[in-house]
Amino acid sequence: MATTTITTTKKVLNKFERNADIDEFLEKSLTEAGYGGVDITTSPVGTRITLFVQRPGLVIGRRGMGIRDLTEKLEKKFGLPNPQISVVEEEVPELNPRIMCSRIAQTVVRGTAFRRAALWAMNSMMNAGALGVEINIAGKLRSERAHFEKYVSGVVPKSGETADRIVRRATTDVLLKMGLYGVKVSIAIKNSIAPDIELIEPTDSESAESPSERDQTESEPQTQAQQEQPRQKEAQAPRSSRRSSTSKKESKKEDETTQS
């Protein structure tokens, strides 16, 4: 039993190591396309690789030449059986921390100040609908001594289950003349957790009713109750009224007999 558990754990570890190497290779080769992540699924038929990028046209290339070359490289370098690559475009790249890390690194390499690049990236992420953003840039920023600067906007949970579920993180590095810069981006997504209270919108039939009709429907049970009350009184009243009428008739008869 011990030998089988060791072999299975080794297989799992080797699989994770291979996936990490593939991820690192794709990140370096697809930087210009806005690499946002990869999903690797192994099946008896082959290995399915789903790439999430900002610009899928740069990955596919003319007549599919780019994706063919990438398939051949992955098959030779990592020994993947029958790799099948599919490219998916990121709908909101501003909410993907890996894409934003690469954007900051590229803008800093072009000569833009790191503070300006960080503030621009933070504003774009908040405008895209993020709950909170935190950007850390470390390295020899302004002098020979290394330090770091942090830029925060909104709310970014730090610990607990909430932080694990709604916060996405990514890190990257860029080599400049002053030295190596490290960039870390954390984005809190609003819709990652379902709200405790859900507001149900009215249906078309309910919304079509005018306020006057609603008032009439609300007032109808009151009028019915008001109409039922006198009916109940009338149903209870006859006994007393009959008794009073018979007593009056008897008194009239007695008066007539006395007069006669």
Side-chain angles (χ1 to χ4, degrees):
M1 293 295 292
T3 57
T4 55
T5 53
I6 291 171
T7 54
T8 52
T9 51
K10 281 185 177 181
K11 287 181 181 179
V12 172
L13 292 174
N14 292 332
K15 182 179 178 180
F16 280 109
E17 184 180 1
R18 183 200 65 182
N19 293 344
D21 293 338
I22 293 172
D23 189 13
E24 185 177 358
F25 170 76
L26 292 173
E27 185 177 5
K28 291 180 180 178
S29 58
L30 302 178
T31 304
E32 295 181 357
Y35 177 74
V38 63
D39 185 14
I40 302 173
T41 305
T42 305
S43 63
V45 179
T47 305
R48 186 172 185 81
I49 301 172
T50 305
L51 301 177
F52 300 94
V53 296
Q54 182 182 359
R55 301 172 184 174
L58 296 179
V59 180
I60 297 171
R62 289 185 178 181
R63 300 180 182 179
M65 292 298 295
I67 200 167
R68 290 176 188 172
D69 295 340
L70 185 61
T71 303
E72 293 177 358
K73 289 179 181 178
L74 291 174
E75 189 174 4
K76 292 179 180 179
K77 188 171 184 178
F78 300 100
L80 297 177
N82 190 18
Q84 300 175 358
I85 300 176
S86 59
V87 184
V88 179
E89 183 180 2
E90 281 284 350
E91 296 179 358
V92 187
E94 288 81 9
L95 297 180
N96 191 318
R98 303 191 71 170
I99 294 177
M100 298 310 296
C101 273
S102 62
R103 280 189 185 181
I104 295 171
Q106 289 175 4
T107 52
V108 170
V109 168
R110 291 170 187 169
T112 308
F114 66 93
R115 291 177 181 172
R116 186 176 180 180
L119 292 174
W120 170 81
M122 184 173 63
N123 292 331
S124 62
M125 285 184 276
M126 292 300 294
N127 293 332
L131 180 63
V133 177
E134 180 178 338
I135 301 174
N136 291 326
I137 300 178
K140 295 181 180 180
L141 304 178
R142 292 294 182 186
S143 62
E144 294 182 357
R145 185 171 182 178
H147 63 281
F148 75 96
E149 290 191 7
K150 182 168 64 175
Y151 307 90
V152 183
S153 178
V155 179
V156 181
K158 294 293 185 180
S159 61
E161 184 182 2
T162 305
D164 295 336
R165 294 177 64 181
I166 73 172
V167 179
R168 301 175 184 175
R169 299 180 177 87
T171 57
T172 188
D173 52 60
V174 55
L175 184 60
L176 300 176
K177 293 181 179 179
M178 294 291 292
L180 190 67
Y181 280 24
V183 182
K184 181 179 180 181
V185 177
S186 301
I187 306 175
I189 309 299
K190 284 183 180 179
N191 301 324
S192 296
I193 297 178
D196 297 333
I197 300 173
E198 295 182 359
L199 299 177
I200 301 175
E201 296 182 357
T203 58
D204 296 337
S205 60
E206 293 178 355
S207 60
E209 292 182 357
S210 61
S212 59
E213 292 178 354
R214 293 180 182 175
D215 295 338
Q216 290 178 2
T217 54
E218 291 177 355
S219 61
E220 282 179 358
Q222 295 179 358
T223 54
Q224 291 178 359
Q226 292 175 359
Q227 292 175 1
E228 289 177 356
Q229 288 179 358
R231 290 177 183 174
Q232 293 176 357
K233 291 180 180 178
E234 291 176 359
Q236 295 176 357
R239 293 183 181 178
S240 59
S241 62
R242 286 174 184 174
R243 289 177 183 175
S244 61
S245 61
T246 52
S247 61
K248 288 179 181 179
K249 288 179 181 179
E250 289 176 355
S251 61
K252 287 181 181 179
K253 287 180 180 179
E254 289 177 356
D255 294 336
E256 289 175 356
T257 52
T258 53
Q259 290 177 3
S260 61

